[in-house]
Amino acid sequence: MHHPISNIRRTAGAVVTSMALSLGVAAAAQAQTITAVMHASLRSLDPIITTTEIVRDYGYMVYDTLLSLDAKNKVQPQMAEKWTVSPDGKTYTFTLRDGLKWHDGAPVTADDCVASIQRFAAQDKLGQVMTNLMKEMKVVDAKTFTMTFKEPTDIALRALSRPSNLVPFMMPQRVAQTPPTQPIKETIGSGPFRFVNAEYRPGVQAVFEKFKDYVPRREPASGLAGGKVVKVDRVKWVTMSDPMTAVNALMSNEIDLIEDVPGDLIPMLEHNPEIVLKEYKERGSQNVARLNFTQPPFNNKLIRQAALRAIDQEAVLQAQVGNPKYYRVCASLYGCDSVYATNVDADKFVKGDPVKAAAMLKAAKYDGTPVVILHPTDQPTSTAMPPVYAQALRKAGFVVQLQAMDWQTVTVRRTSKEAISKGGWNIFSTMSPLSALADPVGSQTIAANGAGAWFGWPDVPEIEALRMKMARTGNLAEQKKIAAEIQHLAIDNVVVIPMGERSPVTALRKNVTTELRAPAPVFWDMAKN
């Protein structure tokens, strides 16, 4: 026979157990996850070896930077506690702030930072100029290092606060010592999120967890600077190659946000009370077409100029975006809101003129060599552009081959200098962040140092001399004059064909809140109610 008291104890115990289980379930339910469809799938985990924006965005999740730009584009300390400049303007001393840890628990040291800067500078255009001007970089103690230059310059501040492609993310020394031509094999950062390797499926999903040992700065978040205060437990990036599938998933509450909604699908979401649309001009980009200087027919400057004259910016933007509210034609290689904006030679490239292009092509004695255009079919914003190029070039008399492939294949194929018959190419297009173009010294689409240049490999020594001249002067009026000269040379040589500007429109469920506006999509300010 059971004693009544033991029955009471058992009942009480069951109640306590039930309450504990309920609390556990409630706690699990409260663990907040943001599920996002980004503009592209993540297939690479080395933000120094590639200029693709999705890998940059991954970098901002996992890594941190010594300096950052705030919302007013002013350089601010980030991992650095402070910096000082010697009276002669040649030596910069950087001191790390307290509490910096790698995701494996080890402290961040000056040795880590020096190795990271060296790897970044070997790949980045602004970093390369910085290296050319640098006399030495050395570690003083565990938290301090110096950079000494041959002449007075603020190039260190400009390079170490670079917001886009490439970004000087800090890595552990052992990782940063990986040659910049080889991908890193670890994902250990010191940023606000930790990458969950066990849940990574390349091209399918990437998962990030809040790094509990991250110590945010005390200042409010501003641009990419200030306190990176993470308000959710996890962020999951999932790939949905069909934009319509992503929109349906957002409307049915299966995902929380779409980072970049294709223009033709925006009307579906505009009047949905559960969805908030936000245009991010801070994340604006310039569409660019890049010609391969190493292969015919574009090893001929006159034929490059005919191609430049053929394509119309408005036609590209209409096909890509549709709604003029979210795009604009622009005559500046540096972005129309840049401090260096200029309309030099605008008459040669903003408005397409196939008749004039046809005459130029005939005068250049074009022999019918086919132009191979790489056409990514799995990124809505990139997919729309190549067919417009193809149509315009055909009208001008070019023979064109439009070759369809996924974006990952484009990023591999564009590295090839082989002949077309061996897998080469003539034109690829992409979008360059306006934040990366704003400084002509560091712009990858402007640099024209031949084999050391971005894909297409333009070789224009006069541009390189002007980039170095601009890096050496701190006088804004002189810098603007040099920027205009660089644009003239870049357009004359067709280093790049600018195709106008667009702003991404992000769609969020109304229970997801974010106030921060930055040049990259960041998640540390985001909350889910």
Side-chain angles (χ1 to χ4, degrees):
M1 179 177 174
H2 293 299
H3 195 282
I5 293 179
S6 67
N7 285 338
I8 292 169
R9 282 175 182 156
R10 275 203 304 276
T11 304
V15 170
V16 170
T17 302
S18 175
M19 287 174 63
L21 285 170
S22 299
L23 288 169
V25 170
Q30 286 168 1
Q32 297 290 356
T33 299
I34 297 283
T35 303
V37 172
M38 303 298 282
H39 70 275
S41 58
L42 184 67
R43 296 177 184 272
S44 170
L45 301 178
D46 187 345
I48 301 302
I49 209 168
T50 177
T51 56
T52 56
E53 287 180 50
I54 190 66
V55 184
R56 173 207 65 184
D57 301 342
Y58 155 83
Y60 275 117
M61 300 289 281
V62 175
Y63 300 98
D64 213 341
T65 56
L66 287 165
L67 310 176
S68 292
L69 294 181
D70 65 16
K72 295 181 178 177
N73 284 322
K74 185 179 177 185
V75 179
Q76 301 289 356
Q78 188 60 34
M79 292 171 74
E81 178 62 38
K82 62 178 181 178
W83 72 84
T84 58
V85 188
S86 62
D88 64 3
K90 294 181 182 179
T91 299
Y92 284 72
T93 301
F94 295 91
T95 305
L96 297 175
R97 63 189 177 96
D98 293 332
L100 298 176
K101 284 184 183 178
W102 298 114
H103 293 160
D104 59 6
V108 176
T109 68
D111 283 307
D112 298 319
C113 297
V114 167
S116 297
I117 293 168
Q118 287 169 337
R119 188 170 191 263
F120 154 79
Q123 291 288 91
D124 181 70
K125 302 307 171 203
L126 194 55
Q128 289 166 359
V129 173
M130 179 178 72
T131 299
N132 287 340
L133 295 174
M134 197 189 300
K135 184 178 176 184
E136 66 174 354
M137 179 165 51
K138 64 180 182 181
V139 171
V140 177
D141 57 40
K143 290 180 63 176
T144 314
F145 68 95
T146 60
M147 300 172 76
T148 301
F149 296 88
K150 300 166 191 171
E151 55 196 275
T153 176
D154 67 349
I155 193 80
L157 302 185
R158 287 156 66 183
L160 296 181
S161 63
R162 189 153 165 71
S164 274
N165 300 342
L166 297 168
V167 179
F169 293 119
M170 295 298 107
M171 300 177 176
Q173 183 182 28
R174 66 180 184 279
V175 179
Q177 286 174 339
T178 306
T181 54
Q182 298 173 17
I184 57 175
K185 293 183 170 63
E186 291 183 69
T187 55
I188 303 294
S190 67
F193 290 94
R194 186 180 69 81
F195 186 65
V196 185
N197 268 301
E199 297 185 51
Y200 175 49
R201 287 187 281 157
V204 178
Q205 74 168 25
V207 179
F208 309 86
E209 286 181 347
K210 178 179 181 177
F211 178 40
K212 293 182 171 58
D213 286 342
Y214 183 79
V215 180
R217 293 191 67 87
R218 295 187 187 92
E219 304 93 335
S222 173
L224 292 167
K228 299 179 179 180
V229 179
V230 175
K231 300 174 183 176
V232 294
D233 301 289
R234 284 160 60 92
V235 174
K236 183 187 285 188
W237 293 355
V238 294
T239 298
M240 294 184 182
S241 53
D242 175 35
M244 192 67 227
T245 302
V247 166
N248 285 330
L250 184 72
M251 292 193 294
S252 61
N253 202 18
E254 294 169 43
I255 61 173
D256 298 299
L257 73 89
I258 301 172
E259 182 216 339
D260 191 354
V261 183
D264 60 336
L265 297 182
I266 289 174
M268 288 187 63
L269 300 170
E270 279 178 323
H271 304 296
N272 188 317
E274 299 299 315
I275 308 297
V276 176
L277 294 175
K278 291 193 174 193
E279 180 188 8
Y280 284 95
K281 289 188 174 171
E282 301 83 357
R283 299 182 202 161
S285 58
Q286 182 183 82
N287 295 322
V288 296
R290 191 77 166 181
L291 310 186
N292 187 344
F293 278 53
T294 71
Q295 299 299 322
F298 294 135
N299 56 353
N300 181 324
K301 177 178 171 179
L302 297 176
I303 294 177
R304 292 199 302 273
Q305 289 175 335
L308 174 79
R309 201 71 192 84
I311 308 172
D312 183 75
Q313 277 195 11
E314 183 89 33
V316 172
L317 290 163
Q318 266 295 317
Q320 180 197 38
V321 184
N323 188 342
K325 179 181 176 182
Y326 302 120
Y327 75 71
R328 65 173 164 181
V329 297
C330 177
S332 176
L333 298 186
Y334 317 120
C336 276
D337 290 330
S338 161
V339 69
Y340 302 115
T342 174
N343 61 359
V344 167
D345 290 342
D347 59 315
K348 295 179 181 175
F349 68 93
V350 175
K351 183 70 182 163
D353 186 342
V355 175
K356 180 78 178 288
M360 294 169 70
L361 196 59
K362 188 175 180 182
K365 297 183 169 56
Y366 171 64
D367 62 3
T369 299
V371 171
V372 170
I373 304 177
L374 306 185
H375 183 201
T377 56
D378 59 339
Q379 274 193 308
T381 46
S382 297
T383 297
M385 294 189 280
V388 181
Y389 304 162
Q391 184 181 19
L393 293 174
R394 285 174 182 141
K395 273 189 180 178
F398 283 93
V399 177
V400 178
Q401 293 177 7
L402 201 59
Q403 295 191 1
M405 60 197 70
D406 61 21
W407 174 246
Q408 178 67 12
T409 304
V410 172
T411 64
V412 173
R413 182 96 169 259
R414 69 183 182 178
T415 66
S416 172
K417 294 181 184 176
E418 294 287 347
I420 301 301
S421 60
K422 295 182 179 178
W425 59 278
N426 295 117
I427 300 179
F428 85 89
S429 62
T430 188
M431 293 158 289
S432 288
L434 293 173
S435 57
L437 304 177
D439 185 344
V441 179
S443 171
Q444 67 187 10
T445 60
I446 296 296
N449 51 334
W454 196 45
F455 315 115
W457 309 284
D459 191 357
V460 187
E462 299 93 332
I463 288 179
E464 292 308 287
L466 286 170
R467 286 176 66 226
M468 291 301 295
K469 183 179 178 183
M470 191 169 179
R472 288 187 170 101
T473 180
N475 182 294
L476 183 58
E478 178 68 10
Q479 287 176 336
K480 287 183 176 182
K481 184 181 171 205
I482 295 169
E485 291 175 37
I486 290 174
Q487 171 148 323
H488 169 68
L489 284 167
I491 293 301
D492 185 58
N493 288 277
V494 199
V495 169
V496 63
I497 304 180
M499 290 296 173
E501 300 177 3
R502 64 175 291 273
S503 303
V505 176
T506 295
L508 309 100
R509 298 285 306 177
K510 72 176 183 181
N511 65 324
V512 176
T513 57
T514 176
E515 300 305 321
L516 189 61
R517 304 191 76 88
V522 296
F523 287 77
W524 54 75
D525 152 77
M526 203 172 284
K528 186 175 179 180
N529 303 315

